[in-house]
Amino acid sequence: MVATAPPAAVRKRRRKHRESDTPTVGRSRFGTAAANAGGVLFAIVMFFPVYWIINTAFKPAPEILQFEPTFFPHTFTMDNFKSAFNAPFFQQDLLNGVIITCGAVVGALLVGFLAALAIARFQFYGRKAIILVVLSVQMVPFVAVLIPLFLMLQRFNLTNSLLGITLVYVGLILPYTVWTLRGFISAIPRELDEAASIDGASRFQVFWKIILPLTGPGLVATSVYGFIQAWNEFIIINTLNDQAHQNLMAWLLQNQTSRGTFWGPLMAGSILTALPVVIFFLIVQRNIATGLTAGAVKG
Amino acid sequence: MSVVESPPARPASQAPAPGDGRARGRRRSATSGGYAPLALTLPALLLLAGLLGYPLVRMVVLSFQSLGLRQLFGDLPPDNVGFANYVKIFTTDTFYQVVARTIAFTVVSVVLTVVLGLAVALLMRRVAPSVRIAMIIAMMFVWAMPQLVATQIFRWLVDSDFGVLNYLIDLLPGVDFANHSWFADPIQGWIVITTIVVWAGIPFIAITLNAGLTQVPKELLEAATVDGASAWQTLRLITVPILKPLLIIVTTLSVIWNFGLFTQVYVVRNGRPEDEYQVLATWAYSIAFKNNNYGLGSAIAVVTVLLLLGVMAFYLRQMFKIGDVD
């Protein structure tokens, strides 16, 4: 970690003695100040859009619609949130979104855990092929499968239904679920399984009393990420289902295109939609980065 | 940071060493599950086959067929048209323009994201701890933001009448940006789209690379400086080579994601992108679902996947290496 060494001391005996644990050789006080200023500027620029959506959502309509924007709401109002919440289909789509997302997460977790267990704990013919399938399907651009999915679900009368889209979302998050859970399970030392077996535990007991409890945090992280993926999806659901069977993301999209743009309610609705994702994301961020770049470790 | 420490190190017993035979034997006895592994993977395989495998095959079949509203609602079988869809694609100028635009966007956005991400990661090593925390918090919020919401925010930021961007630019002396429309000129429109993508892409890369930077031995950096290497030489000859595996992965992922650009264009153009805004994914979608030409749309999707295949294969190979080890 970077520690700021006392600049004076570093300057005097730059080459010989350093208190910081990172190389501070050749770093001037001016350079550090410039770096700090750059870092602050970067943080402000990155955060500004996030700030702006919050700022807008709490402003009354007349204050939003003026060329000279106010950088802090002069009058605080919750009207935008009320009007978004009471807008047509908002509550319906909120409920749909919760049902679809939770259904998909539970489904993917049940099925995915078993597959992950097999991949992590058994050597069997076709294991590599399964890993390859699991990894490759999530690379395919969604538009590619969207057209046949639409035709397929229509044939089974599953468009405009919550069941159809839930199934599609299980397929959407299953590959990632299997892949991450596999990592969590293989991190559990095999010796624990063996010790339990020697003590007379059956295969099922090993699974139930050793592996499942130890995978607990992994299950939480994986399901939270699955939740985010399913919650954020809107193109498939917007194509397959009508407004009464969509989720909040699709609602946001509809709200934009139907009748001009009411920026206040749209921003308030966006906040309501994004809130669970942001909260969940902050919890599991670490695991997401790990899952995506795991391959880099072995070079 | 856990990025670099994730998979458990290869246990010594698995190395080709005297203990190898014994370790192998133990491994086999612990893992011979008979039909158990197949039974465990069966539900997942069936679901993947039904929801992703079959549709993929169907997409390829569809790309050789003509399927429109007539067949869909008349319940008629689709006509087989051989390579007609592909011939149609490869003989229109639009295709080449769309491919060129998609590739140009991918190259520009990936280079910008990776270079800026690396710069931010390096900056994070130099700033005071409080500043670093501010940077991380800002990036976490950006990273967490759903694509659709992020795009909505930027639509509002660049709104021609009441957008704050026009107001800020208008403040500059001698510049009139009141009621400036950012999407009238496709080049400016693409600048906005690229900004959204790069803004959203920086956090993942910066935070991943910053975690990777903690693995760069400080002795090496010090030795280089003592030997008289400039900051640029140290970066080019020490830091980047050590970061290389991570850099390759984040670049590959960015290429895969940005090549499939859809949401930002679709939302910014209100669901009906003009010709100047079409990329492969939006074009395939428009042809299939707006023009109801599912065969032609599938053919475009197939071409898109084929164009991506090389990059995807590379990523899979990298990911496979750990699947191999544990």
Side-chain angles (χ1 to χ4, degrees):
Chain A
M1 292 288 115
V2 181
T4 37
V10 174
R11 274 182 137 196
K12 259 184 200 161
R13 294 180 292 172
R14 203 180 265 174
R15 292 277 146 106
K16 287 179 188 161
H17 180 66
R18 253 165 269 109
E19 276 136 37
S20 153
D21 62 347
T22 45
T24 44
V25 183
R27 287 183 180 183
S28 63
R29 190 189 303 179
F30 174 76
T32 308
N36 282 334
V40 171
L41 185 71
F42 169 79
I44 291 174
V45 170
M46 285 300 272
F47 195 74
F48 184 77
V50 182
Y51 167 69
W52 203 248
I53 183 181
I54 301 170
N55 179 28
T56 307
F58 287 104
K59 283 182 196 173
E63 204 180 323
I64 294 172
L65 301 181
Q66 55 190 40
F67 180 64
E68 195 176 328
T70 46
F71 283 79
F72 198 76
H74 286 189
T75 0
F76 259 100
T77 174
M78 296 296 285
D79 286 354
N80 294 322
F81 288 92
K82 277 181 209 148
S83 96
F85 193 76
N86 293 317
F89 292 109
F90 182 92
Q91 293 166 40
Q92 167 102 55
D93 287 344
L94 169 65
L95 184 67
N96 289 346
V98 171
I99 295 173
I100 297 168
T101 310
C102 293
V105 168
V106 171
L109 218 52
L110 285 176
V111 174
F113 187 80
L114 298 179
L117 191 65
I119 295 174
R121 276 296 191 258
F122 295 101
Q123 290 294 329
F124 57 96
Y125 187 74
R127 176 175 174 274
K128 273 194 174 186
I130 291 175
I131 298 180
L132 191 66
V133 167
V134 162
L135 277 175
S136 55
V137 285
Q138 58 182 348
M139 298 280 105
V140 176
F142 77 95
V143 205
V145 286
L146 185 51
I147 299 168
L149 267 181
F150 171 69
L151 300 174
M152 238 169 82
L153 291 179
Q154 206 170 45
R155 165 147 301 184
F156 293 114
N157 272 331
L158 282 173
T159 49
N160 288 331
S161 79
L162 296 188
L163 177 64
I165 194 71
T166 308
L167 279 174
V168 172
Y169 283 1
V170 171
L172 183 78
I173 61 183
L174 188 56
Y176 184 88
T177 307
V178 174
W179 182 243
T180 353
L181 284 180
R182 180 211 60 90
F184 282 113
I185 297 176
S186 10
I188 302 171
R190 239 172 240 273
E191 285 72 14
L192 282 180
D193 300 17
E194 287 160 11
S197 301
I198 292 168
D199 289 348
S202 70
R203 210 180 261 287
F204 182 76
Q205 280 173 320
V206 169
F207 160 74
W208 191 249
K209 298 216 165 125
I210 309 277
I211 297 181
L212 196 58
L214 285 174
T215 331
L219 286 172
V220 173
T222 313
S223 51
V224 167
Y225 189 65
F227 182 96
I228 293 174
Q229 275 186 303
W231 187 264
N232 280 354
E233 206 292 317
F234 67 95
I235 298 156
I236 303 177
I237 200 170
N238 189 49
T239 311
L240 297 181
N241 287 3
D242 59 23
Q243 268 203 300
H245 298 90
Q246 288 177 347
N247 60 14
L248 273 190
M249 284 292 162
W251 177 87
L252 267 187
L253 190 71
Q254 300 278 347
N255 203 44
Q256 163 203 333
T257 44
S258 54
R259 55 217 146 91
T261 307
F262 295 104
W263 289 111
L266 182 65
M267 292 296 120
S270 299
I271 290 182
L272 293 175
T273 310
L275 206 58
V277 173
V278 173
I279 293 171
F280 277 158
F281 180 87
L282 296 182
I283 301 174
V284 294
Q285 174 283 128
R286 181 175 281 248
N287 300 96
I288 292 172
T290 312
L292 287 170
T293 55
V297 184
K298 301 292 173 198
Chain B
M1 295 278 166
S2 55
V3 176
V4 187
E5 69 195 21
S6 62
R10 182 199 287 255
S13 62
Q14 283 179 23
D20 193 31
R22 203 197 45 183
R24 270 244 193 102
R26 195 191 63 186
R27 196 182 166 107
R28 192 170 296 148
S29 73
T31 53
S32 64
Y35 290 108
L38 285 177
L40 289 173
T41 43
L42 198 61
L45 286 181
L46 283 179
L47 269 171
L48 286 179
L51 292 165
L52 295 165
Y54 173 73
L56 272 177
V57 175
R58 183 82 193 276
M59 171 190 73
V60 177
V61 174
L62 265 175
S63 70
F64 294 103
Q65 293 176 331
S66 162
L67 180 66
L69 285 182
R70 197 170 60 85
Q71 286 87 351
L72 208 57
F73 290 108
D75 214 14
L76 303 166
D79 309 320
N80 287 313
V81 293
F83 283 92
N85 287 326
Y86 290 98
V87 171
K88 201 167 178 179
I89 294 173
F90 290 125
T91 49
T92 52
D93 289 344
T94 320
F95 169 73
Y96 297 99
Q97 288 161 9
V98 170
V99 169
R101 191 175 300 120
T102 311
I103 292 175
F105 165 79
T106 307
V107 170
V108 170
S109 61
V110 169
V111 168
L112 277 175
T113 321
V114 173
V115 169
L116 288 175
L118 179 60
V120 172
L122 289 167
L123 185 63
M124 282 167 80
R125 306 276 296 159
R126 281 220 55 180
V127 296
S130 55
V131 176
R132 189 169 52 245
I133 289 170
M135 292 171 77
I136 290 176
I137 291 175
M139 284 196 284
M140 282 300 157
F141 275 98
V142 173
W143 192 356
M145 208 50 71
Q147 272 191 354
L148 175 62
V149 173
T151 314
Q152 299 282 26
I153 303 176
F154 273 84
R155 279 179 68 230
W156 169 225
L157 288 174
V158 304
D159 182 62
S160 59
D161 299 323
F162 311 112
V164 64
L165 187 67
N166 280 354
Y167 167 76
L168 289 176
I169 297 179
D170 203 64
L171 286 180
L172 298 172
V175 186
D176 178 22
F177 255 67
N179 301 330
H180 175 79
S181 166
W182 282 86
F183 295 104
D185 174 7
I187 295 192
Q188 291 182 10
W190 273 106
I191 291 177
V192 173
I193 293 170
T194 310
T195 308
I196 306 175
V197 172
V198 172
W199 173 79
I202 284 178
F204 164 61
I205 295 189
I207 288 172
T208 306
L209 292 182
N210 181 56
L213 279 174
T214 57
Q215 307 300 111
V216 179
K218 65 178 196 295
E219 292 77 12
L220 269 181
L221 299 176
E222 288 172 4
T225 316
V226 171
D227 288 348
S230 68
W232 171 246
Q233 283 171 322
T234 315
L235 175 70
R236 194 167 57 87
L237 298 171
I238 296 179
T239 311
V240 169
I242 291 176
L243 279 185
K244 202 173 153 202
L246 265 186
L247 274 172
I248 290 175
I249 285 286
V250 296
T251 309
T252 317
L253 274 172
S254 301
V255 170
I256 294 172
W257 290 336
N258 293 4
F259 193 83
L261 173 76
F262 184 95
T263 303
Q264 288 82 354
V265 172
Y266 186 81
V267 174
V268 144
R269 299 319 300 142
N270 292 324
R272 282 176 212 80
E274 298 83 349
D275 287 347
E276 298 80 23
Y277 285 101
Q278 292 285 17
V279 284
L280 276 167
T282 56
W283 195 44
Y285 186 88
S286 302
I287 296 276
F289 293 102
K290 297 279 185 284
N291 303 0
N292 294 306
N293 195 339
Y294 300 98
L296 191 59
S298 297
I300 300 171
V302 170
V303 173
T304 310
V305 174
L306 289 180
L307 283 173
L308 252 187
L309 217 54
V311 187
M312 281 170 21
F314 179 78
Y315 177 74
L316 289 177
R317 207 180 69 86
Q318 294 287 319
M319 295 301 274
F320 219 78
K321 283 183 182 168
I322 31 162
D324 241 4
V325 172
D326 49 45

